[in-house]
Amino acid sequence: MDEGQEPAVKEFFDDFVAAFSSFDGDRVATKFSLPYMAKGPGDSCSVFDSRFQLAEYFQSYLDEYHSQGCRECRY
């Protein structure tokens, strides 16, 4: 990676962490392109072709993490 790109990459990941820390599935979904494919347990695989579907997908995980006591994200 070119040293000149480092600030932009850091900014992207800082924003990514802030999105996850918001526990807002819609905000997290904006960080990804559509269609989005997610690999689940075993051989399960889901493809999302709308922002609404993707936001619901992330929200389900964020709700689960929150219910387990997660309150912050970092890298």
Side-chain angles (χ1 to χ4, degrees):
M1 171 174 45
D2 183 313
E3 286 183 25
Q5 295 173 318
E6 193 170 321
V9 171
K10 183 177 180 336
E11 180 181 347
F12 173 84
F13 279 102
D14 287 345
D15 188 51
F16 188 82
V17 168
F20 269 90
S21 294
S22 73
F23 289 88
D24 179 347
D26 190 54
R27 184 172 173 194
V28 172
T30 67
K31 304 305 291 176
F32 297 88
S33 298
L34 295 170
Y36 178 85
M37 184 171 71
K39 172 102 170 67
D43 291 331
S44 72
C45 189
S46 301
V47 176
F48 303 94
D49 57 7
S50 78
R51 185 73 59 212
F52 178 77
Q53 290 173 324
L54 188 55
E56 283 187 327
Y57 169 76
F58 282 119
Q59 193 62 57
S60 69
Y61 277 99
L62 292 166
D63 291 345
E64 183 178 341
Y65 296 154
H66 196 269
S67 74
Q68 294 174 4
C70 179
R71 297 297 182 265
E72 70 176 337
C73 304
R74 58 191 144 144
Y75 67 95

